[in-house]
Amino acid sequence: MVQIPEESELMATVFLKDGSKVSVPISELGEYLEANQDLIQVQKLKSRRGPIRSKIAAETNPAA
């Protein structure tokens, strides 16, 4: 069984432009992001999956 940590124990990882990582408690994350937004590296994640086509759309439009 996996034990879920309490909210006070949850940490977020923030990547900085200088290549370092900072762990910030979830409860303080909003304040940290606002105060240090010029130091934070923005990452764009690639989509791992294409669009999901439903069976209904496939039946009504076989070319899709």
Side-chain angles (χ1 to χ4, degrees):
M1 178 181 246
V2 178
Q3 184 177 6
I4 300 173
E6 294 181 24
E7 184 177 338
S8 61
E9 299 173 356
L10 294 176
M11 301 291 281
T13 302
V14 179
F15 295 89
L16 303 179
K17 290 182 180 179
D18 66 359
S20 62
K21 298 177 188 178
V22 178
S23 293
V24 180
I26 293 290
S27 59
E28 300 173 14
L29 184 59
E31 295 168 6
Y32 182 85
L33 294 176
E34 188 174 326
N36 298 295
Q37 67 187 105
D38 57 327
L39 302 175
I40 297 171
Q41 174 68 42
V42 178
Q43 294 182 339
K44 293 186 179 182
L45 301 176
K46 293 182 181 179
S47 175
R48 297 183 183 184
R49 189 172 180 177
I52 300 173
R53 297 185 180 130
S54 69
K55 291 180 181 178
I56 297 171
E59 291 172 359
T60 57
N61 187 5

